[in-house]
Short mmCIF file of all heavy atoms in Angstrom, two decimals:
data_model
loop_
_atom_site.label_atom_id
_atom_site.label_comp_id
_atom_site.label_asym_id
_atom_site.label_seq_id
_atom_site.Cartn_x
_atom_site.Cartn_y
_atom_site.Cartn_z
N MET M 253 13.96 20.20 -33.01
CA MET M 253 12.59 19.78 -32.55
C MET M 253 11.60 20.56 -33.35
O MET M 253 11.59 21.78 -33.36
CB MET M 253 12.45 20.04 -31.09
CG MET M 253 11.05 19.72 -30.56
SD MET M 253 10.80 17.98 -30.40
CE MET M 253 10.65 17.80 -28.64
N LEU M 254 10.77 19.87 -33.96
CA LEU M 254 9.73 20.50 -34.80
C LEU M 254 8.44 20.67 -34.00
O LEU M 254 8.04 19.72 -33.30
CB LEU M 254 9.41 19.75 -36.08
CG LEU M 254 10.59 19.60 -37.07
CD1 LEU M 254 10.21 18.71 -38.24
CD2 LEU M 254 10.98 20.97 -37.57
N ALA M 255 7.82 21.81 -34.15
CA ALA M 255 6.47 21.93 -33.55
C ALA M 255 5.51 21.06 -34.38
O ALA M 255 5.80 20.71 -35.52
CB ALA M 255 6.04 23.37 -33.60
N ASN M 256 4.42 20.75 -33.78
CA ASN M 256 3.41 19.93 -34.51
C ASN M 256 3.06 20.57 -35.84
O ASN M 256 2.88 19.84 -36.82
CB ASN M 256 2.12 19.81 -33.66
CG ASN M 256 2.29 18.77 -32.59
OD1 ASN M 256 3.27 17.98 -32.65
ND2 ASN M 256 1.45 18.77 -31.61
N GLY M 257 2.96 21.87 -35.89
CA GLY M 257 2.55 22.54 -37.09
C GLY M 257 3.48 22.29 -38.27
O GLY M 257 3.05 22.34 -39.43
N ALA M 258 4.72 22.02 -37.96
CA ALA M 258 5.68 21.76 -39.03
C ALA M 258 5.33 20.55 -39.85
O ALA M 258 5.69 20.46 -41.02
CB ALA M 258 7.07 21.70 -38.46
N LYS M 259 4.69 19.61 -39.19
CA LYS M 259 4.31 18.38 -39.93
C LYS M 259 3.01 18.61 -40.75
O LYS M 259 2.85 18.05 -41.84
CB LYS M 259 4.10 17.22 -38.94
CG LYS M 259 5.38 16.72 -38.37
CD LYS M 259 5.12 15.57 -37.46
CE LYS M 259 6.43 15.10 -36.78
NZ LYS M 259 6.15 14.10 -35.78
N VAL M 260 2.15 19.39 -40.13
CA VAL M 260 0.85 19.57 -40.75
C VAL M 260 0.93 20.54 -41.94
O VAL M 260 0.31 20.38 -42.99
CB VAL M 260 -0.18 20.08 -39.74
CG1 VAL M 260 -1.55 20.34 -40.41
CG2 VAL M 260 -0.31 19.09 -38.59
N GLY M 261 1.72 21.55 -41.76
CA GLY M 261 1.86 22.57 -42.81
C GLY M 261 0.72 23.57 -42.73
O GLY M 261 -0.21 23.42 -42.00
N LEU M 262 0.92 24.61 -43.47
CA LEU M 262 -0.07 25.68 -43.56
C LEU M 262 -0.65 25.62 -44.92
O LEU M 262 0.01 25.89 -45.93
CB LEU M 262 0.64 27.05 -43.26
CG LEU M 262 -0.09 28.30 -43.63
CD1 LEU M 262 -1.28 28.48 -42.66
CD2 LEU M 262 0.80 29.46 -43.55
N TRP M 263 -1.95 25.24 -45.01
CA TRP M 263 -2.59 25.16 -46.30
C TRP M 263 -3.23 26.50 -46.64
O TRP M 263 -3.90 27.06 -45.79
CB TRP M 263 -3.67 24.04 -46.30
CG TRP M 263 -3.07 22.70 -46.28
CD1 TRP M 263 -2.83 22.00 -45.17
CD2 TRP M 263 -2.69 21.91 -47.41
NE1 TRP M 263 -2.25 20.78 -45.52
CE2 TRP M 263 -2.18 20.69 -46.86
CE3 TRP M 263 -2.69 22.10 -48.77
CZ2 TRP M 263 -1.70 19.70 -47.74
CZ3 TRP M 263 -2.20 21.09 -49.61
CH2 TRP M 263 -1.74 19.89 -49.08
N GLN M 264 -2.98 26.94 -47.90
CA GLN M 264 -3.57 28.23 -48.21
C GLN M 264 -3.87 28.21 -49.70
O GLN M 264 -3.07 27.80 -50.53
CB GLN M 264 -2.56 29.35 -47.95
CG GLN M 264 -3.04 30.71 -48.29
CD GLN M 264 -4.05 31.26 -47.27
OE1 GLN M 264 -4.40 30.62 -46.34
NE2 GLN M 264 -4.51 32.45 -47.47
N PRO M 265 -5.12 28.60 -50.09
CA PRO M 265 -5.40 28.74 -51.53
C PRO M 265 -4.65 29.96 -52.07
O PRO M 265 -4.91 31.10 -51.64
CB PRO M 265 -6.90 28.94 -51.56
CG PRO M 265 -7.39 29.16 -50.19
CD PRO M 265 -6.19 28.95 -49.22
N VAL M 266 -3.78 29.73 -52.97
CA VAL M 266 -3.11 30.82 -53.67
C VAL M 266 -3.38 30.59 -55.17
O VAL M 266 -3.96 29.59 -55.51
CB VAL M 266 -1.59 30.84 -53.35
CG1 VAL M 266 -1.35 31.16 -51.88
CG2 VAL M 266 -0.95 29.51 -53.68
N GLY M 267 -2.93 31.50 -55.97
CA GLY M 267 -3.26 31.41 -57.39
C GLY M 267 -2.92 30.00 -57.94
O GLY M 267 -1.78 29.61 -57.89
N GLY M 268 -3.96 29.29 -58.38
CA GLY M 268 -3.72 28.03 -59.04
C GLY M 268 -3.69 26.82 -58.14
O GLY M 268 -3.28 25.77 -58.54
N GLY M 269 -4.22 26.90 -56.93
CA GLY M 269 -4.37 25.75 -56.16
C GLY M 269 -4.15 26.00 -54.67
O GLY M 269 -3.78 27.08 -54.25
N ARG M 270 -4.46 24.97 -53.92
CA ARG M 270 -4.37 25.07 -52.45
C ARG M 270 -3.02 24.38 -52.08
O ARG M 270 -2.94 23.17 -52.17
CB ARG M 270 -5.54 24.44 -51.75
CG ARG M 270 -5.71 24.79 -50.32
CD ARG M 270 -7.08 24.45 -49.84
NE ARG M 270 -7.44 23.07 -50.03
CZ ARG M 270 -8.56 22.67 -50.70
NH1 ARG M 270 -9.39 23.49 -51.16
NH2 ARG M 270 -8.80 21.40 -50.83
N HIS M 271 -2.06 25.15 -51.68
CA HIS M 271 -0.73 24.59 -51.46
C HIS M 271 -0.44 24.61 -49.95
O HIS M 271 -1.01 25.33 -49.22
CB HIS M 271 0.36 25.44 -52.18
CG HIS M 271 0.26 25.35 -53.70
ND1 HIS M 271 0.80 24.38 -54.41
CD2 HIS M 271 -0.39 26.18 -54.56
CE1 HIS M 271 0.58 24.58 -55.66
NE2 HIS M 271 -0.18 25.66 -55.81
N ALA M 272 0.52 23.80 -49.60
CA ALA M 272 0.98 23.66 -48.17
C ALA M 272 2.34 24.35 -48.06
O ALA M 272 3.22 24.24 -48.94
CB ALA M 272 1.08 22.24 -47.76
N PHE M 273 2.50 25.05 -46.95
CA PHE M 273 3.74 25.82 -46.65
C PHE M 273 4.12 25.40 -45.24
O PHE M 273 3.31 25.08 -44.41
CB PHE M 273 3.51 27.33 -46.73
CG PHE M 273 3.03 27.80 -48.06
CD1 PHE M 273 1.69 27.73 -48.39
CD2 PHE M 273 3.94 28.32 -48.99
CE1 PHE M 273 1.24 28.18 -49.63
CE2 PHE M 273 3.50 28.72 -50.20
CZ PHE M 273 2.15 28.67 -50.55
N ASP M 274 5.45 25.48 -45.00
CA ASP M 274 5.85 25.34 -43.60
C ASP M 274 5.33 26.52 -42.84
O ASP M 274 5.25 27.65 -43.39
CB ASP M 274 7.37 25.25 -43.57
CG ASP M 274 7.89 23.86 -43.96
OD1 ASP M 274 7.31 22.88 -43.54
OD2 ASP M 274 8.88 23.81 -44.67
N LEU M 275 5.06 26.29 -41.58
CA LEU M 275 4.44 27.36 -40.78
C LEU M 275 5.32 28.60 -40.69
O LEU M 275 4.86 29.72 -40.51
CB LEU M 275 4.12 26.90 -39.38
CG LEU M 275 2.92 25.90 -39.31
CD1 LEU M 275 2.54 25.68 -37.86
CD2 LEU M 275 1.71 26.50 -40.07
N VAL M 276 6.63 28.41 -40.84
CA VAL M 276 7.57 29.54 -40.75
C VAL M 276 7.22 30.57 -41.82
O VAL M 276 7.53 31.74 -41.65
CB VAL M 276 9.01 29.06 -40.88
CG1 VAL M 276 9.30 28.47 -42.21
CG2 VAL M 276 9.96 30.18 -40.52
N ALA M 277 6.56 30.12 -42.89
CA ALA M 277 6.26 31.04 -43.95
C ALA M 277 5.34 32.16 -43.49
O ALA M 277 5.34 33.26 -44.04
CB ALA M 277 5.60 30.30 -45.11
N ARG M 278 4.57 31.85 -42.47
CA ARG M 278 3.60 32.82 -42.02
C ARG M 278 4.26 34.00 -41.33
O ARG M 278 3.75 35.12 -41.24
CB ARG M 278 2.59 32.16 -40.99
CG ARG M 278 1.53 33.11 -40.60
CD ARG M 278 0.25 32.46 -40.16
NE ARG M 278 0.34 31.15 -39.48
CZ ARG M 278 -0.66 30.40 -39.26
NH1 ARG M 278 -1.86 30.78 -39.59
NH2 ARG M 278 -0.50 29.23 -38.68
N SER M 279 5.49 33.77 -40.80
CA SER M 279 6.16 34.88 -40.12
C SER M 279 7.18 35.56 -41.02
O SER M 279 8.00 36.33 -40.59
CB SER M 279 6.85 34.36 -38.84
OG SER M 279 7.65 33.21 -39.18
N SER M 280 7.18 35.22 -42.31
CA SER M 280 8.06 35.92 -43.26
C SER M 280 7.65 37.38 -43.42
O SER M 280 6.53 37.76 -43.14
CB SER M 280 8.03 35.22 -44.65
OG SER M 280 8.40 33.92 -44.51
N GLU M 281 8.58 38.21 -43.84
CA GLU M 281 8.35 39.64 -44.00
C GLU M 281 7.36 39.86 -45.19
O GLU M 281 7.41 39.09 -46.16
CB GLU M 281 9.64 40.38 -44.24
CG GLU M 281 10.63 40.33 -43.09
CD GLU M 281 10.07 41.06 -41.89
OE1 GLU M 281 9.46 42.15 -42.07
OE2 GLU M 281 10.22 40.58 -40.75
N PRO M 282 6.56 40.90 -45.10
CA PRO M 282 5.70 41.25 -46.25
C PRO M 282 6.57 41.48 -47.50
O PRO M 282 7.58 42.10 -47.41
CB PRO M 282 5.01 42.56 -45.85
CG PRO M 282 5.09 42.55 -44.33
CD PRO M 282 6.33 41.77 -43.98
N GLY M 283 6.09 40.97 -48.63
CA GLY M 283 6.81 41.11 -49.85
C GLY M 283 7.87 40.05 -50.10
O GLY M 283 8.41 39.98 -51.22
N GLU M 284 8.18 39.25 -49.15
CA GLU M 284 9.14 38.20 -49.36
C GLU M 284 8.49 37.10 -50.21
O GLU M 284 7.27 36.96 -50.25
CB GLU M 284 9.55 37.57 -48.00
CG GLU M 284 10.76 38.23 -47.40
CD GLU M 284 11.24 37.37 -46.18
OE1 GLU M 284 11.71 36.28 -46.43
OE2 GLU M 284 11.12 37.82 -45.06
N LEU M 285 9.34 36.28 -50.82
CA LEU M 285 8.84 35.11 -51.55
C LEU M 285 9.03 33.88 -50.71
O LEU M 285 10.06 33.70 -50.10
CB LEU M 285 9.57 34.98 -52.87
CG LEU M 285 9.36 36.13 -53.88
CD1 LEU M 285 10.20 35.90 -55.13
CD2 LEU M 285 7.93 36.24 -54.26
N VAL M 286 7.96 33.04 -50.64
CA VAL M 286 8.12 31.80 -49.90
C VAL M 286 7.76 30.67 -50.86
O VAL M 286 7.08 30.81 -51.86
CB VAL M 286 7.14 31.77 -48.71
CG1 VAL M 286 7.62 32.75 -47.63
CG2 VAL M 286 5.73 32.07 -49.09
N LYS M 287 8.32 29.52 -50.53
CA LYS M 287 8.17 28.39 -51.46
C LYS M 287 7.22 27.34 -50.82
O LYS M 287 7.42 26.94 -49.62
CB LYS M 287 9.54 27.72 -51.72
CG LYS M 287 9.58 26.83 -52.91
CD LYS M 287 10.90 26.14 -53.02
CE LYS M 287 11.92 27.00 -53.75
NZ LYS M 287 13.18 26.22 -54.04
N ALA M 288 6.23 26.93 -51.55
CA ALA M 288 5.35 25.87 -51.11
C ALA M 288 6.15 24.56 -51.08
O ALA M 288 7.24 24.44 -51.67
CB ALA M 288 4.17 25.76 -51.99
N LEU M 289 5.60 23.57 -50.41
CA LEU M 289 6.30 22.29 -50.28
C LEU M 289 6.56 21.65 -51.66
O LEU M 289 7.49 20.92 -51.87
CB LEU M 289 5.50 21.29 -49.39
CG LEU M 289 5.24 21.79 -48.03
CD1 LEU M 289 4.54 20.72 -47.16
CD2 LEU M 289 6.54 22.22 -47.31
N CYS M 290 5.75 21.99 -52.62
CA CYS M 290 5.90 21.40 -54.01
C CYS M 290 6.88 22.23 -54.82
O CYS M 290 7.19 21.84 -55.90
CB CYS M 290 4.56 21.32 -54.64
SG CYS M 290 3.85 22.95 -55.05
N GLY M 291 7.29 23.38 -54.32
CA GLY M 291 8.27 24.20 -55.04
C GLY M 291 7.67 25.45 -55.72
O GLY M 291 8.42 26.25 -56.21
N VAL M 292 6.36 25.55 -55.64
CA VAL M 292 5.76 26.81 -56.22
C VAL M 292 6.11 27.97 -55.31
O VAL M 292 6.09 27.87 -54.10
CB VAL M 292 4.22 26.65 -56.28
CG1 VAL M 292 3.51 27.98 -56.48
CG2 VAL M 292 3.82 25.66 -57.36
N VAL M 293 6.48 29.09 -55.94
CA VAL M 293 6.90 30.27 -55.20
C VAL M 293 5.79 31.33 -55.28
O VAL M 293 5.31 31.63 -56.34
CB VAL M 293 8.25 30.83 -55.76
CG1 VAL M 293 8.62 32.13 -55.09
CG2 VAL M 293 9.35 29.83 -55.60
N VAL M 294 5.37 31.84 -54.11
CA VAL M 294 4.37 32.87 -54.05
C VAL M 294 4.90 33.99 -53.12
O VAL M 294 5.79 33.73 -52.30
CB VAL M 294 3.02 32.37 -53.57
CG1 VAL M 294 2.47 31.30 -54.48
CG2 VAL M 294 3.14 31.86 -52.15
N SER M 295 4.30 35.16 -53.21
CA SER M 295 4.70 36.21 -52.33
C SER M 295 3.92 36.04 -50.99
O SER M 295 2.81 35.50 -51.00
CB SER M 295 4.39 37.56 -52.88
OG SER M 295 3.09 37.97 -52.64
N THR M 296 4.48 36.53 -49.93
CA THR M 296 3.85 36.40 -48.64
C THR M 296 2.54 37.20 -48.60
O THR M 296 1.67 36.90 -47.82
CB THR M 296 4.78 36.84 -47.47
OG1 THR M 296 5.19 38.17 -47.77
CG2 THR M 296 5.94 35.90 -47.32
N ASP M 297 2.47 38.22 -49.45
CA ASP M 297 1.25 39.00 -49.49
C ASP M 297 0.08 38.08 -49.78
O ASP M 297 -1.02 38.20 -49.21
CB ASP M 297 1.32 40.06 -50.54
CG ASP M 297 2.46 41.07 -50.27
OD1 ASP M 297 2.88 41.14 -49.08
OD2 ASP M 297 2.96 41.74 -51.18
N GLU M 298 0.30 37.18 -50.75
CA GLU M 298 -0.77 36.30 -51.12
C GLU M 298 -1.05 35.26 -50.04
O GLU M 298 -2.15 34.85 -49.78
CB GLU M 298 -0.39 35.61 -52.44
CG GLU M 298 -1.55 34.88 -53.06
CD GLU M 298 -1.33 34.63 -54.55
OE1 GLU M 298 -0.20 34.73 -55.01
OE2 GLU M 298 -2.32 34.37 -55.24
N LEU M 299 0.09 34.83 -49.41
CA LEU M 299 -0.08 33.77 -48.42
C LEU M 299 -0.78 34.28 -47.19
O LEU M 299 -1.53 33.53 -46.54
CB LEU M 299 1.35 33.31 -48.01
CG LEU M 299 1.44 32.09 -47.14
CD1 LEU M 299 0.93 30.89 -47.86
CD2 LEU M 299 2.85 31.91 -46.65
N GLN M 300 -0.58 35.52 -46.84
CA GLN M 300 -1.11 35.97 -45.54
C GLN M 300 -2.45 36.68 -45.67
O GLN M 300 -3.08 37.01 -44.68
CB GLN M 300 -0.09 36.99 -44.92
CG GLN M 300 1.13 36.20 -44.44
CD GLN M 300 2.30 37.09 -44.14
OE1 GLN M 300 2.31 38.26 -44.46
NE2 GLN M 300 3.34 36.54 -43.54
N ARG M 301 -2.95 36.86 -46.86
CA ARG M 301 -4.29 37.44 -46.97
C ARG M 301 -5.28 36.36 -46.50
O ARG M 301 -5.04 35.14 -46.54
CB ARG M 301 -4.56 37.84 -48.39
CG ARG M 301 -5.07 36.75 -49.30
CD ARG M 301 -5.07 37.13 -50.73
NE ARG M 301 -4.85 35.95 -51.53
CZ ARG M 301 -5.86 35.10 -51.87
NH1 ARG M 301 -7.05 35.32 -51.47
NH2 ARG M 301 -5.56 34.02 -52.57
N ILE M 302 -6.41 36.81 -46.08
CA ILE M 302 -7.48 35.89 -45.67
C ILE M 302 -8.19 35.44 -46.90
O ILE M 302 -8.87 36.26 -47.57
CB ILE M 302 -8.42 36.57 -44.64
CG1 ILE M 302 -7.67 37.24 -43.51
CG2 ILE M 302 -9.44 35.61 -44.19
CD1 ILE M 302 -6.87 36.23 -42.68
N ALA M 303 -8.09 34.14 -47.21
CA ALA M 303 -8.79 33.65 -48.36
C ALA M 303 -10.30 33.55 -48.07
O ALA M 303 -10.69 33.16 -46.97
CB ALA M 303 -8.24 32.24 -48.71
N ASP M 304 -11.08 33.94 -49.04
CA ASP M 304 -12.49 33.82 -48.80
C ASP M 304 -12.95 32.39 -48.94
O ASP M 304 -12.22 31.52 -49.44
CB ASP M 304 -13.33 34.73 -49.74
CG ASP M 304 -13.11 34.42 -51.15
OD1 ASP M 304 -13.05 33.26 -51.54
OD2 ASP M 304 -13.03 35.38 -51.96
N GLU M 305 -14.12 32.08 -48.45
CA GLU M 305 -14.53 30.65 -48.39
C GLU M 305 -14.62 30.05 -49.79
O GLU M 305 -14.40 28.88 -49.96
CB GLU M 305 -15.93 30.62 -47.70
CG GLU M 305 -15.76 30.92 -46.20
CD GLU M 305 -17.07 30.75 -45.45
OE1 GLU M 305 -17.86 29.85 -45.90
OE2 GLU M 305 -17.34 31.44 -44.50
N LEU M 306 -14.99 30.87 -50.73
CA LEU M 306 -15.13 30.33 -52.10
C LEU M 306 -13.77 29.81 -52.61
O LEU M 306 -13.70 28.78 -53.28
CB LEU M 306 -15.68 31.38 -53.07
CG LEU M 306 -17.15 31.36 -53.34
CD1 LEU M 306 -17.54 32.39 -54.39
CD2 LEU M 306 -17.58 29.94 -53.80
N ALA M 307 -12.70 30.55 -52.28
CA ALA M 307 -11.40 30.09 -52.75
C ALA M 307 -11.05 28.75 -52.20
O ALA M 307 -10.45 27.93 -52.86
CB ALA M 307 -10.36 31.14 -52.40
N TRP M 308 -11.42 28.55 -50.95
CA TRP M 308 -11.11 27.24 -50.31
C TRP M 308 -11.87 26.12 -51.05
O TRP M 308 -11.33 25.03 -51.16
CB TRP M 308 -11.54 27.26 -48.86
CG TRP M 308 -10.57 27.91 -47.97
CD1 TRP M 308 -10.62 29.20 -47.49
CD2 TRP M 308 -9.35 27.37 -47.45
NE1 TRP M 308 -9.53 29.44 -46.74
CE2 TRP M 308 -8.72 28.37 -46.69
CE3 TRP M 308 -8.73 26.11 -47.60
CZ2 TRP M 308 -7.50 28.14 -46.03
CZ3 TRP M 308 -7.53 25.91 -46.95
CH2 TRP M 308 -6.96 26.90 -46.18
N ILE M 309 -13.01 26.41 -51.50
CA ILE M 309 -13.83 25.36 -52.17
C ILE M 309 -13.37 25.15 -53.57
O ILE M 309 -13.22 24.05 -54.08
CB ILE M 309 -15.32 25.76 -52.12
CG1 ILE M 309 -15.78 25.79 -50.67
CG2 ILE M 309 -16.14 24.80 -52.97
CD1 ILE M 309 -17.12 26.48 -50.49
N GLN M 310 -13.06 26.28 -54.28
CA GLN M 310 -12.81 26.19 -55.70
C GLN M 310 -11.40 25.75 -56.02
O GLN M 310 -11.17 25.13 -57.03
CB GLN M 310 -13.09 27.56 -56.35
CG GLN M 310 -14.56 27.88 -56.34
CD GLN M 310 -14.83 29.33 -56.77
OE1 GLN M 310 -13.96 30.20 -56.64
NE2 GLN M 310 -16.02 29.61 -57.29
N GLU M 311 -10.42 26.17 -55.20
CA GLU M 311 -9.03 25.79 -55.53
C GLU M 311 -8.83 24.33 -55.22
O GLU M 311 -9.20 23.82 -54.20
CB GLU M 311 -8.09 26.65 -54.67
CG GLU M 311 -8.23 28.12 -54.84
CD GLU M 311 -7.40 28.65 -56.03
OE1 GLU M 311 -6.79 27.78 -56.72
OE2 GLU M 311 -7.34 29.87 -56.20
N ALA M 312 -8.19 23.62 -56.12
CA ALA M 312 -7.95 22.21 -55.94
C ALA M 312 -6.72 22.02 -55.03
O ALA M 312 -5.77 22.80 -55.12
CB ALA M 312 -7.67 21.53 -57.30
N THR M 313 -6.76 21.01 -54.19
CA THR M 313 -5.62 20.72 -53.37
C THR M 313 -4.41 20.30 -54.21
O THR M 313 -4.58 19.50 -55.13
CB THR M 313 -5.96 19.61 -52.38
OG1 THR M 313 -7.03 20.02 -51.55
CG2 THR M 313 -4.77 19.20 -51.55
N CYS M 314 -3.29 20.87 -53.96
CA CYS M 314 -2.08 20.53 -54.68
C CYS M 314 -1.63 19.13 -54.24
O CYS M 314 -1.23 18.95 -53.05
CB CYS M 314 -0.98 21.55 -54.42
SG CYS M 314 0.57 21.06 -55.15
N MET M 315 -1.64 18.18 -55.11
CA MET M 315 -1.30 16.81 -54.74
C MET M 315 0.21 16.64 -54.48
O MET M 315 0.61 15.75 -53.76
CB MET M 315 -1.80 15.84 -55.80
CG MET M 315 -3.30 15.76 -55.92
SD MET M 315 -4.14 15.55 -54.27
CE MET M 315 -3.74 13.83 -53.95
N ASP M 316 1.02 17.51 -55.11
CA ASP M 316 2.46 17.42 -54.85
C ASP M 316 2.73 17.81 -53.38
O ASP M 316 3.51 17.16 -52.68
CB ASP M 316 3.23 18.31 -55.81
CG ASP M 316 3.18 17.79 -57.19
OD1 ASP M 316 3.07 16.56 -57.38
OD2 ASP M 316 3.32 18.58 -58.17
N CYS M 317 2.11 18.88 -52.93
CA CYS M 317 2.26 19.28 -51.56
C CYS M 317 1.71 18.22 -50.64
O CYS M 317 2.33 17.89 -49.58
CB CYS M 317 1.46 20.59 -51.28
SG CYS M 317 2.29 22.07 -51.87
N TRP M 318 0.61 17.63 -50.98
CA TRP M 318 -0.02 16.63 -50.17
C TRP M 318 0.92 15.41 -50.01
O TRP M 318 1.09 14.89 -48.93
CB TRP M 318 -1.33 16.19 -50.81
CG TRP M 318 -2.12 15.21 -50.03
CD1 TRP M 318 -2.99 15.43 -49.01
CD2 TRP M 318 -2.04 13.76 -50.19
NE1 TRP M 318 -3.47 14.24 -48.53
CE2 TRP M 318 -2.90 13.23 -49.20
CE3 TRP M 318 -1.31 12.91 -51.05
CZ2 TRP M 318 -3.07 11.85 -49.10
CZ3 TRP M 318 -1.49 11.54 -50.87
CH2 TRP M 318 -2.39 11.01 -49.94
N ARG M 319 1.55 15.03 -51.12
CA ARG M 319 2.46 13.89 -51.04
C ARG M 319 3.68 14.21 -50.20
O ARG M 319 4.11 13.31 -49.39
CB ARG M 319 2.94 13.56 -52.45
CG ARG M 319 2.20 12.36 -53.09
CD ARG M 319 2.84 11.95 -54.35
NE ARG M 319 2.74 12.94 -55.42
CZ ARG M 319 1.69 13.08 -56.22
NH1 ARG M 319 0.67 12.23 -56.09
NH2 ARG M 319 1.61 14.00 -57.13
N VAL M 320 4.18 15.43 -50.25
CA VAL M 320 5.34 15.76 -49.40
C VAL M 320 4.98 15.59 -47.91
O VAL M 320 5.72 15.04 -47.14
CB VAL M 320 5.79 17.21 -49.70
CG1 VAL M 320 6.88 17.66 -48.66
CG2 VAL M 320 6.41 17.29 -51.09
N LEU M 321 3.78 16.09 -47.57
CA LEU M 321 3.37 15.97 -46.19
C LEU M 321 3.12 14.57 -45.79
O LEU M 321 3.50 14.13 -44.70
CB LEU M 321 2.10 16.85 -45.96
CG LEU M 321 2.32 18.33 -45.78
CD1 LEU M 321 0.99 19.00 -45.73
CD2 LEU M 321 3.16 18.65 -44.60
N ALA M 322 2.51 13.80 -46.68
CA ALA M 322 2.14 12.42 -46.35
C ALA M 322 3.39 11.56 -46.19
O ALA M 322 3.36 10.60 -45.43
CB ALA M 322 1.26 11.84 -47.45
N ASN M 323 4.45 11.93 -46.86
CA ASN M 323 5.70 11.08 -46.78
C ASN M 323 6.60 11.55 -45.69
O ASN M 323 7.67 10.96 -45.49
CB ASN M 323 6.41 11.12 -48.15
CG ASN M 323 5.63 10.42 -49.20
OD1 ASN M 323 4.91 9.47 -48.90
ND2 ASN M 323 5.75 10.87 -50.43
N ARG M 324 6.25 12.61 -44.98
CA ARG M 324 7.15 13.02 -43.86
C ARG M 324 7.09 12.00 -42.73
O ARG M 324 6.02 11.47 -42.46
CB ARG M 324 6.69 14.39 -43.30
CG ARG M 324 7.17 15.54 -44.20
CD ARG M 324 6.88 16.84 -43.58
NE ARG M 324 7.42 17.96 -44.38
CZ ARG M 324 7.34 19.24 -44.08
NH1 ARG M 324 6.63 19.60 -42.99
NH2 ARG M 324 7.84 20.15 -44.89
N PRO M 325 8.23 11.77 -42.14
CA PRO M 325 8.23 10.89 -40.94
C PRO M 325 7.36 11.43 -39.85
O PRO M 325 7.31 12.61 -39.61
CB PRO M 325 9.66 10.82 -40.52
CG PRO M 325 10.34 11.99 -41.14
CD PRO M 325 9.52 12.35 -42.40
N ARG M 326 6.61 10.52 -39.17
CA ARG M 326 5.71 10.94 -38.12
C ARG M 326 6.38 10.77 -36.77
O ARG M 326 7.20 9.89 -36.59
CB ARG M 326 4.47 10.11 -38.19
CG ARG M 326 3.61 10.46 -39.37
CD ARG M 326 2.52 9.45 -39.60
NE ARG M 326 2.04 9.59 -40.98
CZ ARG M 326 1.21 10.54 -41.39
NH1 ARG M 326 0.76 11.43 -40.55
NH2 ARG M 326 0.89 10.61 -42.64
ZN1 ZN G 1340 1.74 22.70 -54.00
#
C-alpha cells in the first residue's frame, strides 16, 4: 500500500534541474546517494537542504521525472 506521497513524489531543485524523488528518499541517511525518478543520482545532503526560492524558480522541471509520475497508475 502506497501512501499518497508515493504517487506525488518529492520535488526538489538539485544541481541541474528540479527532480522528483520517492518520499522515502527524505528519510535516507545523510551522505547516502538517492536516485531521482529519471535516474539522476544525488546525495541526500543536496536533497534535504532547504532550497531557496530562487532555485525553485530558476531550475527547470525535469521532464523525465514528470513523465514517470504522470504515467504511474492512479
Ligand atoms: Zn529528473
Side-chain angles (χ1 to χ4, degrees):
M253 176 75 113
L254 296 176
N256 281 344
K259 288 181 184 173
V260 179
L262 166 69
W263 288 93
Q264 180 77 359
V266 294
R270 196 163 56 233
H271 294 277
F273 300 82
D274 283 318
L275 286 190
V276 65
R278 187 157 27 195
S279 51
S280 299
E281 295 295 319
E284 270 191 67
L285 296 177
V286 292
K287 198 185 276 188
L289 300 185
C290 67
V292 167
V293 175
V294 300
S295 89
T296 53
D297 299 338
E298 191 160 19
L299 189 65
Q300 289 165 351
R301 85 191 150 83
I302 306 299
D304 61 39
E305 290 184 32
L306 263 185
W308 280 99
I309 296 166
Q310 291 171 337
E311 301 274 6
T313 299
C314 172
M315 293 312 287
D316 290 333
C317 282
W318 183 86
R319 261 189 293 275
V320 171
L321 282 174
N323 290 330
R324 280 187 177 180
R326 291 169 199 280

